[in-house]
Amino acid sequence: MTQSVRAENGFAYGVVGADIHVFGDGIPVYLLQRWRPPPAADDSFLREVPSRMLNARFAVVEFTGRTAELAALRHWRDEGPQLAVRWLHAPGGQGKTRLADHFACESADDGWQVVTATHGPGSVIPPPGSQDLGAAADGTLLVVDYADRWPLSHLLWLFSNALLHRPEVPARILLLARGDDSWPAVRASVANLQAGTSTQFLPPLSDGTQEREGDGSPRTEMFAVAHGSFAARYGVPSLRAKTPAALAGDDFGLTLSVHLAALVAVDAHVTGRRPPPDLAGLTCYLLDREHLHWARLHGEGGHEIDPTARTFTTPPDAMNRTVFTAALTGPMAPAPGSDVVAGLELKLPAHRVLADHAVCYPPADPAQETVLEPLYPDRLSEDFLALTLPGHHAEYPAQPWARATVAALLTGTTGPGAPLWAPRAVTFLASAAQRWPHVGPRHLYPFLAAAPQVAVAAGSAALTTLARLDDIAPELLEAVAAHFPPFKQPHPNLDPGIAAVSTRLLPHRLSRAGHLDDPGVVRHEHGVRLYRAGLLEESLAAAEENVRDYRALDRVELRYPAEAELVERNLATALTAYGTRLSAVGRRADALAATEESIGILRGLAGRDERYRSDLASALLNRGRDLCQADRWADATVTTQECVALFRELAAGDPETHEPDLSASLVALGLCLGFTATPGESVAALQEGITILRRLSRTNAAAHTEALAEALSNLAKALWRTGEPGISVAQEAVALLRRLAAVHPVSYESELANVLAGSAVHLLYAGQGSEALSAAHESVSILRRLAGRQPQVHANVLAEALASLSIVLLAVGRRDDAIAVTDEAVAIRRRMAGSDPGFEARLAVVLLLAVNLRTDAGGSMLEEAVVLLAEAGAVVERHGTMPAQFSKGYRETRIRLAERLTAEGYRAAADDLRRATPGPPAEEDASM
């Protein structure tokens, strides 16, 4: 294996055995690195600034406790499917990182390859060289910290990495987060990866119990271990640990709080001071030690940073403001970091301030040339922000410049790079506001009121944290919500946060509803927001409640006919949404019933007012799709024909609004006509829809590429049925979907597999057997993986892909393999038909394929062919209206089998088949 790493702009980054996902400017979306044990830190370095001992990366405190949590992680690692994802969540300071590090160390000792993923955009410069992640191991454990702050699309890129999909090598992804609001969307997105999914909450140390000094509780045990670890670093290993009385308080349920109490107890003893009695005092004590360190460094005129003897020149007040800024921005590349510091107007060269700051706070990873490393742990950094901002009553000096610094960073006056740190700044300030009551009303909320779009730019995690604040005004959240994308458009990177804000605002919005119809409109939008965030059950419940409330609405209270008409229209909209939610959770029959009721209402409205024709056409399109899913092709054809007629009229008057729907309805009609009419009619409808989609894609490719690819795939199949070559059309569809799947594999792999299956058949008939076999195998491989995780969603498409593979295998001379693959498709369709009789017709299709393969094989296979044909015949008898193509295929299969039975001497069985063979339909007789 050879890997070439090319340097761009002075740096390079590469990995062996894994993928690199980069943006257009060459900056990686994330960095993968082998997990390394905590670095050995010099005791004097740690004592310089005691807070360093709380940094999880130095692992000063011996790991203790969390026995049950570790056992749960080991079980998750060693059992289950090839790929599993776990969302480990707890408030900041609860010990997630320490637990993950200990688990990583254990896993590495047990033979697992442990890798960390660090989110890259805006803050990380790739280190030089490569990471070799291709070594053989018992499995791969990928640890992702701050997972709730990653955009969903970036997590999906990470999940698709080849590192996690090696044959026969189990992979585990451990996602660390403060909350679980983002988890439903992540879980829904990884479902297509055939991954096991689970959550694990890290509870407080007390776990709801009341501790007393000396009772052997988890808190006192952890305090004793931490006290001993810190005392050893201070050179007083025999120092007696006296458990403080405050340890029984609610504030000390966090691992960090217990460690903080132990550290201050040791440091206070060594320095001859009395430790403060409460958590706020302990925090101030540690921050005072930071200030002392800055003052000492500035006072030591001979302190050298490097061999050129540059002295530490930044005074404590300037360092205070720089550390405050770093808490808001987090680590940055040198150039933007220099711009930020220059904007502080400290009357010192920015490069000097950054060099001095790095002495106090060196980069976490020396290989990454970052500046403005923040104060750690995060919770201490949040408290530092809160205590530096004016308005509290703690014994700590607030600074008059703090408010202006936050305003400059949040409003972007420091430069165009402000969005790079907006997620961290808003999230940290909102987290601080949960504990310090002055931060929100006096600082964060006024800033966001002046620039509410900053909260949206900060991303989903920031929005979720804001929505949890008890004292945030609904009016401010409404101002933020005004900058959300339209609720009808998905926005995966924001949807979880938007749903959290919508949930928080729901009571406020309902209380302000003036018209009888207003609550339903509010709930409808809220339900859509929940649905976009992956909260399917919650969204279904909201849609069901909305329908129930509309039905119960007292029409007598509606004073004007127009009001009653509006309520009816919104009831129909609610029913359509309810049908969509029901379909999403697999309740197809209920979904169709809801859509039918919606259409009934809209027909009445559209008959009186043409304004409702668009709503009726949209509902008909949904009904057509539902009917197709149920294999009711004749009914679906009638419905989509009506839908096309309506959208034609609407698009003639307003093409910009209605042409996308017209194209969708034409493609749906083409699909239906493929089962109910001549192949030529199917091709014509599809070609018309594709013509519109090509035009729309030229101006908005992102919105229409997926629809165009699906339409091209359907056209290729329709062309094949007419005898025309469809290979170029199929290959265009594959190319489009490969581009989409490369960016969002979880979203588009299923459709890519479907198109590959169709492309395989076209390649085969074009004489490209090896290419056809490759495409068919790739399709089946993808769908086997997807159906293993979501059989209800992907099993049917897998059966179709297996049928395509069997045809290709037979054509290249591998009949036995073709029969085995077809039998797998039959088994899948039998299971589907057993739980839903609506799939019986599709079962019959693959049964006929299995019969034909055995007919060609002859010999002992003929007896099996007769049994399978009888099973297919039973389906035909139960379904009086089978598509004409199937009926014709059934007759031809019986005739072929009868001829082969006769040829091999089974005349009686052949005669039985001939007597039972039905005649052709009347219209076919007339044409013969």
Side-chain angles (χ1 to χ4, degrees):
M1 176 184 295
T2 301
Q3 181 186 44
S4 174
V5 179
R6 181 165 55 93
E8 296 285 357
N9 300 323
F11 61 80
Y13 173 74
V15 290
V16 177
D19 299 322
I20 304 174
H21 291 116
V22 298
F23 293 104
D25 58 5
I27 298 298
V29 178
Y30 54 84
L31 302 180
L32 295 176
Q33 292 178 298
R34 272 188 174 275
W35 176 85
R36 293 168 295 181
D42 181 74
D43 290 350
S44 60
F45 169 78
L46 294 174
R47 290 196 300 267
E48 260 188 342
V49 185
S51 66
R52 289 171 178 166
M53 298 193 201
L54 298 176
N55 192 332
R57 81 171 186 264
F58 295 127
V60 171
V61 179
E62 179 185 349
F63 187 85
T64 185
R66 301 298 189 188
T67 305
E69 289 82 359
L70 271 174
L73 285 173
R74 293 188 199 104
H75 179 77
W76 164 73
R77 183 194 67 190
D78 297 335
E79 304 294 333
Q82 188 272 337
L83 177 64
V85 182
R86 172 157 292 192
W87 188 270
L88 178 65
H89 63 102
Q94 193 64 276
K96 299 182 298 294
T97 302
R98 287 181 54 79
L99 176 64
D101 278 344
H102 189 76
F103 177 59
C105 183
E106 279 193 357
S107 298
D109 290 343
D110 291 342
W112 284 63
Q113 175 177 243
V114 183
V115 181
T116 60
T118 305
H119 196 223
S123 61
V124 177
I125 295 294
S130 294
Q131 291 287 315
D132 185 358
L133 305 180
D138 293 339
T140 296
L141 171 64
L142 178 64
V143 182
V144 185
D145 208 352
Y146 304 108
D148 49 343
R149 299 182 194 173
W150 285 51
L152 179 61
S153 59
H154 296 182
L155 280 177
L156 298 187
W157 276 336
L158 176 64
F159 296 158
S160 70
N161 199 291
L163 174 73
L164 305 170
H165 303 283
R166 296 170 179 168
E168 309 304 323
V169 179
R172 299 291 179 263
I173 306 174
L174 183 62
L175 304 169
L176 310 182
R178 285 196 173 187
D180 60 354
D181 296 79
S182 300
W183 172 241
V186 175
R187 179 178 57 206
S189 299
V190 302
N192 287 346
L193 295 177
Q194 196 182 349
T197 56
S198 58
T199 61
Q200 184 173 345
F201 174 65
L202 200 59
L205 291 175
S206 63
D207 201 18
T209 61
Q210 296 295 320
E211 288 89 23
R212 293 186 178 90
E213 183 178 347
D215 67 352
S217 70
R219 293 185 187 183
T220 55
E221 291 175 5
M222 183 168 285
F223 178 86
V225 171
H227 191 277
S229 298
F230 294 135
R233 294 290 188 162
Y234 275 87
V236 288
S238 61
L239 182 64
R240 178 178 176 269
K242 181 180 179 181
T243 307
L247 211 62
D250 292 340
D251 288 341
F252 289 88
L254 297 175
T255 298
L256 177 61
S257 300
V258 176
H259 286 188
L260 177 58
L263 174 60
V264 172
V266 174
D267 188 84
H269 172 83
V270 172
T271 58
R273 301 173 62 184
R274 185 183 299 275
D278 57 15
L279 185 59
L282 295 171
T283 300
C284 292
Y285 180 101
L286 274 191
L287 293 177
D288 286 346
R289 298 284 272 114
E290 303 285 330
H291 285 267
L292 179 60
H293 183 57
W294 308 334
R296 283 175 175 169
L297 287 175
H298 183 251
E300 296 174 3
H303 178 83
E304 293 185 355
I305 297 176
D306 59 31
T308 62
R310 294 178 298 166
T311 58
F312 191 103
T313 59
T314 305
D317 59 339
M319 184 56 65
N320 193 9
R321 192 171 184 184
T322 305
V323 176
F324 182 86
T325 299
L328 292 168
T329 65
M332 303 184 69
S338 181
D339 291 341
V340 168
V341 172
L344 298 178
E345 299 180 355
L346 299 175
K347 299 180 181 180
L348 292 166
H351 73 278
R352 293 291 308 118
V353 175
L354 289 173
D356 290 347
H357 180 270
V359 172
C360 302
Y361 306 98
D365 185 349
Q368 297 180 16
E369 298 176 2
T370 55
V371 297
L372 293 177
E373 190 74 16
L375 180 65
Y376 290 105
D378 285 349
R379 192 177 179 92
L380 183 62
S381 197
E382 294 163 2
D383 289 339
F384 171 61
L385 291 172
L387 289 164
T388 308
L389 288 164
H392 61 82
H393 301 291
E395 291 294 328
Y396 186 88
Q399 300 297 329
W401 45 256
R403 179 183 177 88
T405 302
V406 173
L409 289 168
L410 286 182
T411 57
T413 57
T414 56
L420 294 177
W421 58 76
R424 178 185 172 98
V426 175
T427 302
F428 271 49
L429 287 168
S431 297
Q434 292 175 330
R435 301 188 297 277
W436 299 93
H438 70 291
V439 173
R442 294 194 58 171
H443 303 285
L444 179 59
Y445 303 160
F447 298 145
L448 293 181
Q453 71 278 5
V454 172
V456 182
S460 184
L463 291 171
T464 299
T465 308
L466 287 170
R468 289 176 178 161
L469 293 172
D470 293 335
D471 60 351
I472 192 168
E475 291 77 14
L476 176 56
L477 287 177
E478 288 286 15
V480 171
H483 293 273
F484 289 165
F487 78 94
K488 293 184 179 180
Q489 298 177 7
H491 203 299
N493 291 341
L494 279 178
D495 285 334
I498 290 176
V501 172
S502 179
T503 299
R504 175 67 184 274
L505 283 174
L506 182 62
H508 170 73
R509 289 172 169 173
L510 291 175
S511 70
R512 299 182 64 184
H515 189 273
L516 286 174
D517 184 57
D518 290 347
V521 175
V522 169
R523 288 197 185 95
H524 174 70
E525 178 175 341
H526 177 59
V528 174
R529 296 297 195 188
L530 293 173
Y531 182 71
R532 299 291 187 204
L535 299 166
L536 298 185
E537 295 296 338
E538 293 87 340
S539 176
L540 175 60
E544 188 172 16
E545 181 182 10
N546 212 21
V547 169
R548 185 171 59 247
D549 287 352
Y550 267 118
R551 284 177 173 154
L553 199 60
D554 189 354
R555 268 54 171 181
V556 176
E557 295 187 35
L558 302 174
R559 292 172 294 176
Y560 305 105
E563 289 182 326
E565 191 173 276
L566 180 62
V567 167
E568 289 301 300
R569 186 258 189 184
N570 286 340
L571 171 59
T573 300
L575 284 163
T576 301
Y578 185 40
T580 302
R581 308 295 182 270
L582 288 165
S583 181
V585 299
R587 294 169 56 183
R588 295 190 306 119
D590 294 337
L592 186 57
T595 305
E596 296 278 13
E597 185 179 352
S598 173
I599 289 173
I601 295 170
L602 289 169
R603 284 196 190 282
L605 293 172
R608 300 190 298 271
D609 190 331
E610 291 187 351
R611 291 179 302 169
Y612 298 107
R613 290 190 303 160
S614 175
D615 295 320
L616 174 59
S618 296
L620 287 167
L621 183 57
N622 283 349
R623 180 179 187 266
R625 290 168 176 165
D626 289 342
L627 290 168
C628 287
Q629 288 293 318
D631 285 331
R632 294 171 55 184
W633 297 105
D635 293 336
T637 300
V638 173
T639 297
T640 51
Q641 283 174 330
E642 182 183 2
C643 177
V644 167
L646 282 171
F647 275 129
R648 276 196 200 283
E649 295 178 16
L650 293 165
D654 186 359
E656 184 176 351
T657 300
H658 297 293
E659 274 199 334
D661 289 322
L662 174 59
S663 67
S665 61
L666 283 164
V667 171
L669 177 60
L671 185 62
C672 294
L673 290 173
F675 288 87
T676 60
T678 65
E681 292 177 276
S682 174
V683 168
L686 288 165
Q687 286 177 331
E688 184 181 358
I690 288 170
T691 299
I692 298 172
L693 282 170
R694 288 193 190 281
R695 185 170 64 251
L696 295 173
S697 295
R698 283 194 289 270
T699 57
N700 190 353
H704 303 291
T705 297
E706 180 182 4
L708 176 59
E710 293 176 0
L712 287 166
S713 176
N714 288 330
L715 175 60
K717 295 174 185 177
L719 288 169
W720 177 71
R721 288 193 291 268
T722 66
E724 296 184 31
I727 185 170
S728 62
V729 176
Q731 288 179 325
E732 182 183 359
V734 169
L736 288 173
L737 280 163
R738 280 201 191 281
R739 290 205 296 269
L740 290 170
V743 178
H744 292 294
V746 176
S747 302
Y748 296 108
E749 270 194 326
S750 175
E751 188 57 35
L752 170 61
N754 189 21
V755 173
L756 280 166
S759 174
V761 177
H762 297 295
L763 288 166
L764 178 65
Y765 284 93
Q768 302 178 40
S770 61
E771 293 86 349
L773 190 59
S774 175
H777 273 305
E778 182 181 0
S779 171
V780 168
S781 176
I782 293 171
L783 288 167
R784 276 196 178 120
R785 173 162 45 83
L786 301 183
R789 179 64 183 89
Q790 280 190 309
Q792 192 172 20
V793 176
H794 300 291
N796 181 57
V797 185
L798 171 59
E800 292 178 2
L802 288 165
S804 296
L805 175 59
S806 71
I807 292 171
V808 177
L809 287 167
L810 180 65
V812 298
R814 294 170 56 181
R815 177 183 293 147
D816 290 346
D817 291 339
I819 291 173
V821 166
T822 305
D823 289 349
E824 183 181 352
V826 169
I828 292 171
R829 288 271 169 86
R830 279 196 185 116
R831 289 196 298 270
M832 295 171 64
S835 59
D836 185 348
F839 284 109
E840 279 197 327
R842 301 190 184 200
L843 167 61
V845 171
V846 291
L847 284 169
L848 294 186
L849 178 59
V851 171
N852 283 322
L853 289 171
R854 284 168 168 79
T855 299
D856 290 339
S860 61
M861 289 282 184
L862 292 177
E863 185 176 349
E864 295 178 14
V866 171
V867 173
L868 291 170
L869 184 64
E871 185 179 353
V875 174
V876 173
E877 292 177 4
R878 287 195 294 271
H879 295 265
T881 57
M882 296 291 288
Q885 289 179 333
F886 177 82
S887 299
K888 180 181 179 182
Y890 175 64
R891 290 194 307 274
E892 292 175 348
T893 298
R894 292 185 72 98
I895 292 170
R896 289 182 69 244
L897 178 55
E899 290 174 350
R900 187 59 182 262
L901 287 167
T902 299
E904 297 203 16
Y906 300 101
R907 293 186 178 276
D911 291 341
D912 290 342
L913 283 180
R914 290 190 181 95
R915 283 193 293 270
T917 301
E923 62 272 19
E924 290 190 20
D925 285 337
S927 63
M928 291 176 63

